[in-house]
Amino acid sequence: MGKTATTYVCSSCGTVHKKWAGKCESCGEWNTIREQAVLSAGPKGKTLGAAKGRKVALSSLSESDKPLQRSLFGIDELDRVLGGGLVPASAILVGGDPGIGKSTLLLQAAGAFARKGNKVLYISGEEAASQIRMRAARLNLTDAPVQLAAETNLRDILTTLDAERPALAIIDSIQTMWADHVDSAPGSVSQVRAAAHELTSFAKRRGISVVLVGHVTKDGQIAGPRVVEHMVDTVLYFEGERGHQFRILRAVKNRFGPADEIGVFEMTGAGLQEVANPSALFLSERDKPTSGSVVFAGIEGTRPVLVEIQALVAQSSLASPRRTVVGWDSGRLSMILAVLEARCGIAFGGMDVYLNIAGGIKISEPAADLAVAAALVSARQDHALPPDSVLFGEISLSGALRPTTQAENRLKEAEKLGFSSAFTASRMKTVAKSAMKVHKSGDLAEFIETCFGQIDS
Ligand code: TYD
Ligand code: MG
């Protein structure tokens, strides 16, 4: 038995530090570093190699395994994000802000899966069984054969899983679970790690799929889901703006399918409804041409999605004008403003700039650069773009427009939704037979000249 030592662990990202600090260097969060007692490796000089272990069996890459048997939930948006349904004995983490709708989504998933004849256990450490039943009534799931338990003791949960052997177990949430062999409070990094490790390894051995729910925490009082991301096969994040009814389920890691796939839902009075055609929804508020508003033809995972990008530019009374971004990267906005100034002579100094991606969706594709630049210039000049046009293309620091992937899919989706023209990079390969009128420009200055004419800086 070694002596105990102390390390410092960030409760947001799980990084281990030698010393306490106010800010975690790894994830940049403040006040998230907590002291943690650990067992040291034992007496110095005594390494693992000293006592021999067992030789492990080795195999070759060419050996053939059985193809993965997947089971569908029957909720298309969820099945697609998982890469085509649930893989048996897999571990999935569903993270998201409190109140975003994780429990609702998973109760619906549990209900749908149980109705297909699978055995499903829903274990909640947050709500009483009666509360879950009330939710089920609201979601019209009362007749679904899901088995409920309100429990936080991990030892009891594992014993129950062993006795029941369900196809799927949902643990809501991992932060409320308590492993009695770990000497710290529920929600701490050590507890969350231990609980996730026990659950995932136990479930793998017994062929049970587990879904762990994890709250994203900003204050660091309880450990965030990032500390267990590496232990699971699939990590999904459930996102959305509080004031909006849209919710986006995004795969950020998937051992059994593509990452970056999204599923779109709408939160209604009777639970989450699938949104099969998100473009129509994200654009529904657009009616007449408005300056500062443009439509970006994006790709989310395997699906084209059209979204509205809105910019507002106003004279600033502040010494350092505001740059406010919702749904896009603020560093990327600064870059585009700099390219507009340096390469096109369009300055935004002395002006407040606001950029918003409508509908509460977050965009990370660089292909949105051109649409963002167009929205900014359109807002500054109070000059609306033709309302029937979409844009896509990446901007490089030289001001050149770079082609993006899947031009055809983007154009097809735009055409389907009634758009008739597109602006993009000249090096973009597009099909000639498309009915869309495609305007191509080599660089940003040329694009601005085509759309807005001469601009005084
Ligand atoms: P919940 O699933 O409890 O969130 P989480 O588990 O991520 O903390 O969702 C709670 C919110 O969803 C709450 O504000 C109420 C709302 N809601 C609806 O709008 N419609 C519904 O049918 C349900 C069940 C919840
Ligand atoms: Mg919940």
Side-chain angles (χ1 to χ4, degrees), residues 95-210:
D97 288 323
I100 203 73
K102 300 180 293 299
S103 304
T104 308
L105 175 72
L106 291 170
L107 191 57
Q108 285 183 251
F113 205 57
R115 276 183 180 154
K116 297 188 122 195
N118 301 296
K119 189 163 181 177
V120 182
L121 250 62
Y122 186 103
I123 298 166
S124 178
E126 305 201 331
E127 292 166 301
S130 61
Q131 274 174 301
I132 303 169
R133 276 194 287 273
M134 258 164 60
R135 189 193 295 257
R138 195 171 168 191
L139 301 173
N140 234 332
L141 287 173
T142 329
D143 63 328
V146 178
Q147 291 177 290
L148 295 182
E151 185 53 65
T152 56
N153 186 319
L154 195 63
R155 200 178 286 275
D156 296 346
I157 290 172
L158 293 181
T159 308
T160 312
L161 288 182
D162 200 19
E164 295 284 337
R165 299 289 173 100
L168 173 66
I170 292 171
I171 310 291
D172 187 3
S173 64
I174 189 68
Q175 282 119 340
T176 53
M177 294 298 134
W178 178 64
D180 55 19
H181 66 297
V182 177
D183 192 18
S184 60
S188 65
V189 173
S190 341
Q191 278 288 351
V192 167
R193 270 215 194 112
H197 176 73
E198 292 287 334
L199 279 163
T200 52
S201 52
F202 181 83
K204 278 237 144 64
R205 283 201 301 277
R206 296 289 190 274
I208 302 170
S209 296
V210 279

Side-chain angles (χ1 to χ4, degrees), residues 33 45-46 67 89 95 98 127 150 188 205 209 219 261 297 321 325 376 411:
I33 296 183
K46 191 147 190 204
E127 292 166 301
S188 65
R205 283 201 301 277
S209 296
D219 60 2
E261 187 66 77
V325 196
L376 293 169
L411 291 174

Side-chain angles (χ1 to χ4, degrees), residues 5-322:
T6 303
T7 56
Y8 298 87
V9 181
C10 170
S11 57
S12 172
C13 69
T15 306
V16 180
H17 299 270
K18 283 211 183 84
K19 283 192 300 205
W20 188 87
K23 182 183 177 186
C24 172
E25 288 301 328
S26 174
C27 66
E29 294 288 333
W30 287 89
N31 282 328
T32 54
I33 296 183
R34 304 269 174 275
E35 190 175 327
Q36 189 182 30
V38 289
L39 282 175
S40 69
K44 272 223 165 70
K46 191 147 190 204
T47 61
L48 270 184
K52 273 210 173 143
R54 166 182 68 87
K55 184 183 176 303
V56 294
L58 305 172
S59 63
S60 75
L61 286 173
S62 60
E63 273 164 54
S64 59
D65 292 307
K66 271 187 275 164
L68 291 176
Q69 294 286 332
R70 294 170 181 266
S71 329
L72 296 176
F73 280 96
I75 301 176
D76 290 346
E77 295 293 302
L78 174 62
D79 287 330
R80 201 188 46 254
V81 171
L82 288 173
L86 181 71
V87 174
S90 60
I92 301 168
L93 171 72
V94 177
D97 288 323
I100 203 73
K102 300 180 293 299
S103 304
T104 308
L105 175 72
L106 291 170
L107 191 57
Q108 285 183 251
F113 205 57
R115 276 183 180 154
K116 297 188 122 195
N118 301 296
K119 189 163 181 177
V120 182
L121 250 62
Y122 186 103
I123 298 166
S124 178
E126 305 201 331
E127 292 166 301
S130 61
Q131 274 174 301
I132 303 169
R133 276 194 287 273
M134 258 164 60
R135 189 193 295 257
R138 195 171 168 191
L139 301 173
N140 234 332
L141 287 173
T142 329
D143 63 328
V146 178
Q147 291 177 290
L148 295 182
E151 185 53 65
T152 56
N153 186 319
L154 195 63
R155 200 178 286 275
D156 296 346
I157 290 172
L158 293 181
T159 308
T160 312
L161 288 182
D162 200 19
E164 295 284 337
R165 299 289 173 100
L168 173 66
I170 292 171
I171 310 291
D172 187 3
S173 64
I174 189 68
Q175 282 119 340
T176 53
M177 294 298 134
W178 178 64
D180 55 19
H181 66 297
V182 177
D183 192 18
S184 60
S188 65
V189 173
S190 341
Q191 278 288 351
V192 167
R193 270 215 194 112
H197 176 73
E198 292 287 334
L199 279 163
T200 52
S201 52
F202 181 83
K204 278 237 144 64
R205 283 201 301 277
R206 296 289 190 274
I208 302 170
S209 296
V210 279
V211 176
L212 309 177
V213 174
H215 292 296
V216 172
T217 60
K218 299 262 168 357
D219 60 2
Q221 287 306 310
I222 52 175
R226 291 184 66 179
V227 302
V228 299
E229 274 183 0
H230 64 280
M231 286 181 217
V232 295
D233 301 307
T234 303
V235 178
L236 309 180
Y237 274 89
F238 205 36
E239 335 169 312
E241 295 291 321
R242 239 156 225 278
H244 277 287
Q245 68 274 40
F246 309 124
R247 298 284 182 270
I248 290 154
L249 186 67
R250 188 184 292 277
V252 295
K253 161 181 168 179
N254 197 348
R255 286 188 186 142
F256 308 117
D260 260 347
E261 187 66 77
I262 65 163
V264 184
F265 296 89
E266 187 178 354
M267 182 62 96
T268 69
L272 292 155
Q273 303 287 333
E274 293 177 67
V275 178
N277 186 348
S279 301
L281 244 169
F282 291 132
L283 296 176
S284 61
E285 289 154 29
R286 257 174 80 86
D287 40 10
K288 56 181 194 304
T290 317
S291 64
S293 152
V294 304
V295 176
F296 164 53
I299 299 280
E300 288 290 339
T302 53
R303 244 189 338 185
V305 178
L306 301 192
V307 278
E308 182 186 347
I309 296 184
Q310 305 162 339
L312 180 68
V313 174
Q315 280 306 323
S316 178
S317 54
L318 302 168
S320 56
R322 252 180 234 284

